Amino acid sequence: MTAPKPPCVILDRPQLAENIGAVARVMANFGLEDLRLVAPRDGWPQERAWPSASGADWPLDNARVFATVSEAIADLKLVYATTARNRGMQLPVLNPRQAAASIVDHGDLPCGLLFGAERAGLETTDIALTQGIITIPIDARFKSLNLAQAVALNAYEWKMAVDAAPP
């Protein structure tokens, strides 16, 4: 059995180049390579992203830009949206560990993790395009993570699930 295909990371309307670079650094730490940017606020490429990546240039060098979330996820068979807010939607809600196990179970099928803009997160209409929601169990008094932190938690759980999977 081959190793499962790593999920792509989709950033919807990212605002700061430094955050995009920090996400690329996290992706490289956990073996993720496919970075997709949906309508980055300041366009792409943004030179300030590369210093924040600290040498993890390949996700940035190969990043693809899309106009909409639906275009960015069109080729994916499983996409999880990340959000801390209850949306009252009829989608399964998982924590990062459960979502990672599900992605690993999908093996070679293309999967993705969708993250919203730093300021406001994901739109409900974009979440509705996915197959489930990932909610990180953080303190209810402050449900705001830096974009790279959210990617790191999910990428870590994916790597742990891959390492625990039978060969």
Side-chain angles (χ1 to χ4, degrees):
M1 180 177 169
T2 60
K5 183 176 178 68
C8 67
V9 173
I10 307 118
L11 305 181
D12 183 30
R13 296 171 290 116
Q15 297 172 330
L16 300 174
E18 293 82 0
N19 284 344
I20 298 170
V23 165
R25 182 177 182 175
V26 164
M27 290 175 65
N29 289 147
F30 296 103
L32 307 180
E33 297 183 7
D34 186 355
L35 177 60
R36 301 175 185 199
L37 307 174
V38 177
R41 181 185 70 185
D42 299 327
W44 189 255
Q46 299 174 36
E47 291 305 315
R48 294 182 327 275
W50 275 261
S52 295
S54 296
D57 294 343
W58 57 97
L60 299 176
D61 293 341
N62 298 315
R64 292 181 283 164
V65 178
F66 297 86
T68 65
V69 168
S70 62
E71 291 172 14
I73 67 172
D75 65 319
L76 304 176
K77 301 301 178 200
L78 175 69
V79 180
Y80 287 119
T82 60
T83 182
R85 290 180 281 163
N86 184 341
R87 305 295 182 117
M89 301 181 76
Q90 297 300 316
L91 289 171
V93 177
L94 303 99
N95 64 38
R97 186 165 297 160
Q98 294 164 326
S102 173
I103 291 169
V104 168
D105 287 345
H106 276 76
D108 238 7
L109 295 176
C111 300
L113 300 167
L114 175 62
F115 299 86
E118 296 93 328
R119 186 165 176 241
L122 291 167
E123 297 290 332
T124 303
T125 54
D126 291 326
I127 294 171
L129 299 172
T130 70
Q131 287 71 51
I133 294 171
I134 300 173
T135 298
I136 297 169
I138 57 177
D139 194 305
R141 295 174 295 171
F142 193 70
K143 291 185 173 190
S144 177
L145 287 175
N146 171 279
L147 184 56
Q149 292 169 331
V151 173
L153 289 168
N154 283 281
Y156 169 81
E157 291 294 349
W158 177 80
K159 179 73 168 111
M160 294 298 291
V162 167
D163 289 352

